[in-house]
Amino acid sequence: MIKHFIKNIRTRRIVKDYALIILGDFILAYAVVAFFQPQNMVTGGVSGLAIIIAYYSGQMWHEIPVWASNLAFNIPLFIIGGFVLKGESIIKSAFAAIFLSAAFFFVEFLPLPPNDIILATIFGGVASGVGVGLVLRAMATTGGTVLAGSILQQSLFKHISVARIVFAIDAVIILVGLVVFGPVATMYAIAAIYVATKVMEAVMEGMHFAKAAFIVSEKTETIAQHVIDNLDRGATELKGRGMYTKQDKNVLICVVNTKESVKLKELVSEIDVSAFVIVADVREVLGEGFKPHL
């Protein structure tokens, strides 16, 4: 019975992960093809390199589409990565990279937004941030410079973090974009990277915002009971010690949604006006009364 339950959980998690990868790939592909490529915005990564290749090949002979360049770069990377890197993530990442090439191909047939570089910067940054964030939430990557950085870190530069290697590779690609397309497109591309990074962090950390209240009071029992009765929320009491007074203190922890935080502060002030209250932002809460684990 327990094995069957665990198997069902794993199956649902796998299905969820691959669904996130597919959705994230389509959103990312649309951001690149519909927003970044028409404006010659090179935001790093293999997709940025593919935009440069598409531009030059179109000038000289016949444009090589982004999907073809993405596939051509990622296939050898994953062949090498299969020997260097281990684990389930490499399988998910291979699927994500191959499916991203398919997504690049299909989104070319979708309607394009208005040709405006400011809109491309904002909405392209948001879309690419959402796309990459969804793929990363599935514990995968879209290959490209992240995979290249992982391979280089494992094989040659073990004393350097993957993040720094990826940053260096992306910086070189952006500099090539600067030479090819000029400073204006590059500056908008950097702005799009900033937007994408912020959105990606929000997607990865969760969009289910809440507030965590830390309440230091002599009346934690009364406050906790009122929280349970009036807010229908739980509370946890911890034992603490004031380092100035050297006295033991009770610390109550309670997580509520944003609307309930106002009522919680009013409730605490009515019971103990001298209570010390800290309210902090919580990006994601898993469990009863909030977001389920699966």
Side-chain angles (χ1 to χ4, degrees), residues 182-215:
V184 175
T186 302
M187 286 189 286
Y188 278 111
I190 293 171
I193 293 171
Y194 178 81
V195 174
T197 302
K198 292 299 180 182
V199 173
M200 180 185 67
E201 289 174 351
V203 172
M204 288 182 64
E205 295 173 7
M207 297 294 289
H208 299 267
F209 300 105
K211 299 285 186 179
F214 298 82
I215 305 164

Coordinates of all heavy atoms in Angstrom, one line a residue, residues 182-215:
G182 N 25.1 46.5 -32.5 CA 25.3 47.9 -32.0 C 24.9 48.0 -30.5 O 24.3 47.1 -30.0
P183 N 25.2 49.2 -30.0 CA 25.0 49.4 -28.5 C 23.5 49.5 -28.1 O 23.1 49.1 -27.0 CB 25.7 50.7 -28.2 CG 25.7 51.4 -29.5 CD 25.8 50.4 -30.6
V184 N 22.6 50.1 -29.0 CA 21.2 50.3 -28.6 C 20.5 49.0 -28.4 O 19.9 48.7 -27.3 CB 20.5 51.1 -29.7 CG1 19.0 51.2 -29.3 CG2 21.1 52.5 -29.8
A185 N 20.6 48.0 -29.3 CA 20.0 46.7 -29.2 C 20.6 46.0 -28.0 O 19.9 45.3 -27.3 CB 20.2 45.9 -30.4
T186 N 21.9 46.2 -27.7 CA 22.5 45.5 -26.6 C 22.0 46.0 -25.3 O 21.8 45.3 -24.3 CB 24.0 45.6 -26.7 OG1 24.5 45.1 -28.0 CG2 24.7 44.9 -25.6
M187 N 21.9 47.3 -25.2 CA 21.4 47.9 -23.9 C 19.9 47.5 -23.6 O 19.6 47.2 -22.5 CB 21.4 49.5 -24.0 CG 22.9 50.0 -23.9 SD 22.9 51.8 -23.7 CE 22.5 52.3 -25.4
Y188 N 19.1 47.4 -24.6 CA 17.8 46.9 -24.4 C 17.8 45.4 -24.1 O 17.0 44.9 -23.2 CB 16.9 47.1 -25.7 CG 16.3 48.4 -25.8 CD1 16.7 49.3 -26.8 CD2 15.3 48.8 -25.0 CE1 16.2 50.6 -26.9 CE2 14.7 50.1 -25.1 CZ 15.2 51.0 -26.1 OH 14.6 52.2 -26.2
A189 N 18.7 44.7 -24.6 CA 18.9 43.2 -24.3 C 19.3 43.1 -22.8 O 18.8 42.2 -22.1 CB 20.0 42.6 -25.2
I190 N 20.2 43.9 -22.3 CA 20.6 43.8 -20.9 C 19.4 44.2 -20.0 O 19.2 43.5 -19.0 CB 21.8 44.8 -20.7 CG1 23.0 44.3 -21.4 CG2 22.1 44.9 -19.2 CD1 24.2 45.3 -21.4
A191 N 18.6 45.1 -20.4 CA 17.4 45.5 -19.6 C 16.4 44.3 -19.6 O 15.8 43.9 -18.6 CB 16.7 46.7 -20.2
A192 N 16.3 43.6 -20.8 CA 15.5 42.4 -20.8 C 16.0 41.3 -20.0 O 15.2 40.5 -19.3 CB 15.3 41.9 -22.3
I193 N 17.3 41.1 -19.9 CA 17.9 40.1 -19.0 C 17.6 40.4 -17.5 O 17.3 39.5 -16.8 CB 19.5 40.1 -19.2 CG1 19.8 39.6 -20.6 CG2 20.1 39.2 -18.1 CD1 21.3 39.8 -20.9
Y194 N 17.6 41.7 -17.2 CA 17.3 42.1 -15.8 C 15.8 41.7 -15.5 O 15.5 41.1 -14.4 CB 17.5 43.6 -15.6 CG 17.1 44.1 -14.2 CD1 18.0 43.9 -13.1 CD2 15.9 44.7 -14.0 CE1 17.7 44.3 -11.9 CE2 15.5 45.1 -12.7 CZ 16.4 44.9 -11.7 OH 16.1 45.4 -10.4
V195 N 14.9 42.1 -16.4 CA 13.5 41.7 -16.2 C 13.3 40.2 -16.1 O 12.6 39.7 -15.2 CB 12.6 42.3 -17.3 CG1 11.2 41.8 -17.2 CG2 12.7 43.8 -17.3
A196 N 14.0 39.5 -17.0 CA 13.8 38.0 -17.0 C 14.4 37.4 -15.7 O 13.8 36.4 -15.2 CB 14.6 37.5 -18.2
T197 N 15.5 37.9 -15.2 CA 16.0 37.4 -14.0 C 15.1 37.5 -12.8 O 14.9 36.6 -12.0 CB 17.4 38.1 -13.7 OG1 18.3 37.9 -14.8 CG2 18.0 37.5 -12.4
K198 N 14.5 38.7 -12.7 CA 13.6 39.0 -11.6 C 12.3 38.1 -11.7 O 11.9 37.5 -10.7 CB 13.2 40.4 -11.6 CG 14.3 41.4 -11.2 CD 14.8 41.1 -9.8 CE 15.9 42.1 -9.4 NZ 16.5 41.7 -8.1
V199 N 11.8 38.0 -12.9 CA 10.6 37.1 -13.1 C 11.0 35.6 -12.8 O 10.2 34.9 -12.2 CB 10.0 37.3 -14.5 CG1 8.9 36.3 -14.8 CG2 9.5 38.7 -14.7
M200 N 12.1 35.2 -13.3 CA 12.5 33.8 -13.1 C 12.7 33.5 -11.7 O 12.2 32.4 -11.2 CB 13.9 33.6 -13.8 CG 14.4 32.2 -13.7 SD 16.1 32.0 -14.4 CE 17.0 33.1 -13.3
E201 N 13.2 34.4 -10.9 CA 13.4 34.2 -9.4 C 12.0 34.0 -8.8 O 11.8 33.2 -7.9 CB 14.2 35.3 -8.8 CG 15.6 35.3 -9.1 CD 16.3 36.6 -8.6 OE1 15.6 37.5 -8.1 OE2 17.6 36.6 -8.7
A202 N 11.1 34.9 -9.2 CA 9.7 34.8 -8.6 C 9.0 33.5 -9.0 O 8.4 32.9 -8.1 CB 8.9 36.0 -9.1
V203 N 9.2 33.0 -10.2 CA 8.6 31.8 -10.6 C 9.2 30.6 -9.9 O 8.5 29.7 -9.4 CB 8.8 31.6 -12.2 CG1 8.3 30.1 -12.6 CG2 8.0 32.6 -12.9
M204 N 10.6 30.6 -9.7 CA 11.3 29.5 -9.0 C 10.9 29.5 -7.6 O 10.8 28.4 -7.0 CB 12.8 29.7 -9.2 CG 13.2 29.4 -10.6 SD 15.0 29.5 -10.7 CE 15.5 28.1 -9.6
E205 N 10.8 30.6 -6.9 CA 10.6 30.7 -5.5 C 9.1 30.5 -5.2 O 8.7 30.3 -4.0 CB 11.1 32.0 -4.9 CG 12.7 32.0 -5.0 CD 13.2 33.4 -4.6 OE1 12.4 34.2 -4.1 OE2 14.4 33.6 -4.7
G206 N 8.2 30.7 -6.2 CA 6.8 30.6 -6.0 C 6.1 31.9 -6.0 O 6.6 32.9 -5.5
M207 N 4.9 31.9 -6.4 CA 4.1 33.1 -6.5 C 3.0 33.1 -5.4 O 2.1 33.9 -5.5 CB 3.4 33.2 -7.9 CG 4.4 33.3 -9.0 SD 5.4 34.8 -9.0 CE 4.1 36.0 -9.5
H208 N 3.0 32.2 -4.5 CA 2.0 32.1 -3.4 C 2.5 32.9 -2.2 O 3.1 32.4 -1.3 CB 1.8 30.7 -3.1 CG 1.3 29.9 -4.2 ND1 -0.1 29.7 -4.5 CD2 1.9 29.2 -5.2 CE1 -0.2 28.9 -5.5 NE2 1.0 28.6 -6.0
F209 N 2.4 34.2 -2.3 CA 3.0 35.1 -1.3 C 2.2 35.0 0.0 O 1.0 34.8 0.0 CB 2.9 36.6 -1.7 CG 3.7 36.8 -3.0 CD1 3.1 37.0 -4.2 CD2 5.1 36.8 -2.9 CE1 3.9 37.2 -5.4 CE2 5.9 37.0 -4.1 CZ 5.2 37.2 -5.3
A210 N 2.9 35.1 1.1 CA 2.3 35.1 2.5 C 3.1 35.9 3.4 O 4.2 36.5 3.0 CB 2.2 33.6 2.9
K211 N 2.7 36.0 4.7 CA 3.4 36.7 5.7 C 3.7 35.8 6.9 O 2.8 35.0 7.3 CB 2.6 37.9 6.2 CG 2.2 39.0 5.1 CD 3.4 39.8 4.7 CE 3.0 40.9 3.8 NZ 4.2 41.8 3.4
A212 N 4.9 35.9 7.4 CA 5.2 35.1 8.6 C 5.4 36.1 9.7 O 6.2 37.0 9.6 CB 6.5 34.3 8.3
A213 N 4.7 35.9 10.8 CA 4.7 36.7 12.0 C 5.5 36.0 13.1 O 5.1 34.9 13.5 CB 3.3 37.1 12.4
F214 N 6.5 36.7 13.7 CA 7.2 36.2 14.8 C 6.8 37.1 16.0 O 7.0 38.3 16.0 CB 8.7 36.3 14.6 CG 9.2 35.4 13.5 CD1 9.1 35.9 12.2 CD2 9.7 34.2 13.7 CE1 9.5 35.1 11.1 CE2 10.1 33.4 12.7 CZ 10.1 33.9 11.4
I215 N 6.1 36.6 17.0 CA 5.5 37.3 18.1 C 6.2 36.9 19.4 O 6.1 35.8 19.8 CB 4.0 37.1 18.2 CG1 3.3 37.4 16.8 CG2 3.4 37.9 19.3 CD1 2.0 36.8 16.7

